[in-house]
Amino acid sequence: MTEILRTIAEVRAWRQGLAADQTVGFVPTMGALHAGHISLMELAKGHATVTIASIFVNPLQFGPNEDLAKYPRPIEKDLALLKAAGVDAVFLPAVEELYPTGASTFVVEESVSGPLCGAMRPGHFRGVTTVVLKLFNIVQPHLAVFGQKDAQQCAVIERMVRDLAVPVEIIRGPIVREADGLALSSRNVYLGAEDRAAAPLIFASLQAAKAAFDGGERDATRLAAIGLAVLESDPRIKVQYWDVRDAQSLDAISTMDGHDALFAVAAYLGATRLIDNIVLPRP
Ligand code: AMP
């Protein structure tokens, strides 16, 4: 049975009811769940004796012109998926309880949050770190699972947990993709047929750069140019960034040598913004 918890008090009571030898694995989400989210639930189940998910479309991480109002919220379907996945509890907080009137305390990570999506979406990671730390304080998990799909989010949260000595182990889950390579995303439902047909080029561009790396190319600028050229070959796709970074610090790098490197892409198909990435272990 999946217990539905709607208030902080209900989560605290649920948490206190667990035996001392239980370990709690937590998977925060914004709902509109797909197989990528479910893979994180499975990972949490493998690492903890009790699993809890949250579904919260966090207004603090959306910019003023972003898709907060139209973000999909198929709550009954989500609950059925969590039940089928054998998740023990789900926290469905209300905006008013997580952000009480006059809330004026925020968590800001000032380095890893800077480039890539941080540069394109001002305030986004401030919203993420604030809500994640708050959810951690409510749920008090032993471990939490985040998807590599949002590689920068993983790096920002790992930095926050280190810097603030947050007693939660962070586990990254691999990216789950469609058969044609498109990374699963709640936002894929926005894509019309033609944009959906073009979308696999995002992963193909990452693969093209990886092929050049496998062929011996070590210059980060040249690798990014190879990936960018593939993605720009389709006029439907408007590239926001195609970048090569150190996978942990997200610092810019000029050569792949000595780094676990992140190839990261953000692109628009129509009004839909999609992101994807791959990590290449240091050569
Ligand atoms: P979201 O609901 O988009 O906030 O995502 C919740 C969690 O699921 C985040 O840790 C995401 O990185 C992760 N996630 C989203 N898409 C995928 C995917 N295709 N594969 C694996 N994890 C994912």
Side-chain angles (χ1 to χ4, degrees):
M1 200 192 75
T2 306
E3 267 199 73
I4 299 178
L5 309 168
R6 295 184 187 275
T7 65
I8 295 172
E10 284 172 15
V11 178
R12 294 214 192 284
W14 171 84
R15 186 73 182 75
Q16 274 167 10
L18 299 176
D21 61 351
Q22 301 273 41
T23 55
V24 176
F26 176 41
V27 184
T29 81
M30 299 203 300
L33 302 179
H34 50 63
H37 296 111
I38 300 305
S39 74
L40 305 185
M41 310 293 162
E42 299 295 340
L43 205 52
K45 281 167 67 179
H47 284 84
T49 61
V50 176
T51 52
I52 176 168
S54 63
I55 297 177
F56 181 62
V57 183
N58 175 30
L60 204 60
Q61 72 188 68
F62 285 77
N65 299 315
E66 293 184 352
D67 56 344
L68 173 64
K70 72 163 188 167
Y71 199 83
R73 291 167 169 87
I75 187 65
E76 292 306 324
K77 183 181 168 220
D78 285 351
L79 292 176
L81 286 170
L82 292 176
K83 197 172 162 196
V87 173
D88 297 295
V90 55
F91 180 32
L92 307 173
V95 174
E96 307 75 52
E97 194 182 19
L98 278 204
Y99 300 118
T101 306
S104 56
T105 308
F106 304 93
V107 181
V108 182
E109 190 288 324
E110 296 190 344
S111 175
V112 184
S113 303
L116 306 177
C117 292
M120 300 299 157
R121 306 181 68 188
H124 170 68
F125 287 115
R126 170 180 178 268
V128 169
T129 44
T130 300
V131 81
V132 167
L133 188 64
K134 181 148 190 177
L135 290 169
F136 283 0
N137 285 336
I138 296 165
V139 174
Q140 298 185 28
H142 296 83
L143 60 95
V145 184
F146 292 86
Q148 176 64 25
K149 163 81 181 350
D150 297 278
Q152 188 173 18
Q153 173 170 279
C154 288
V156 169
I157 288 166
E158 286 163 359
R159 180 64 62 91
M160 173 185 82
V161 161
R162 186 200 75 173
D163 289 353
L164 300 182
V166 180
V168 178
E169 180 192 350
I170 304 300
I171 296 176
R172 293 194 192 206
I175 301 177
V176 177
R177 300 179 180 282
E178 302 282 4
D180 60 13
L182 176 63
L184 297 193
S185 165
S186 305
R187 292 187 167 98
N188 290 353
V189 299
Y190 300 150
L191 296 172
E194 291 182 352
D195 286 336
R196 175 63 189 81
L201 207 58
I202 296 173
F203 184 54
S205 78
L206 292 164
Q207 292 296 96
K210 179 180 184 300
F213 171 78
D214 290 341
E217 181 60 74
R218 293 290 178 266
D219 182 90
T221 307
R222 282 203 291 272
L223 288 165
I226 289 165
L228 184 62
V230 171
L231 202 48
E232 285 183 333
S233 68
D234 189 324
R236 302 189 74 85
I237 300 178
K238 303 282 175 251
V239 183
Q240 198 176 45
Y241 62 74
W242 206 116
D243 210 348
V244 178
R245 298 258 159 185
D246 180 272
Q248 275 82 43
S249 68
L250 299 194
D251 289 341
I253 57 176
S254 56
T255 172
M256 303 289 281
D257 291 320
H259 298 277
D260 295 331
L262 177 74
F263 290 175
V265 183
Y268 278 95
L269 279 142
T272 305
R273 184 176 179 276
L274 299 179
I275 58 170
D276 200 354
N277 69 84
I278 56 175
V279 171
L280 290 96
R282 70 188 61 209

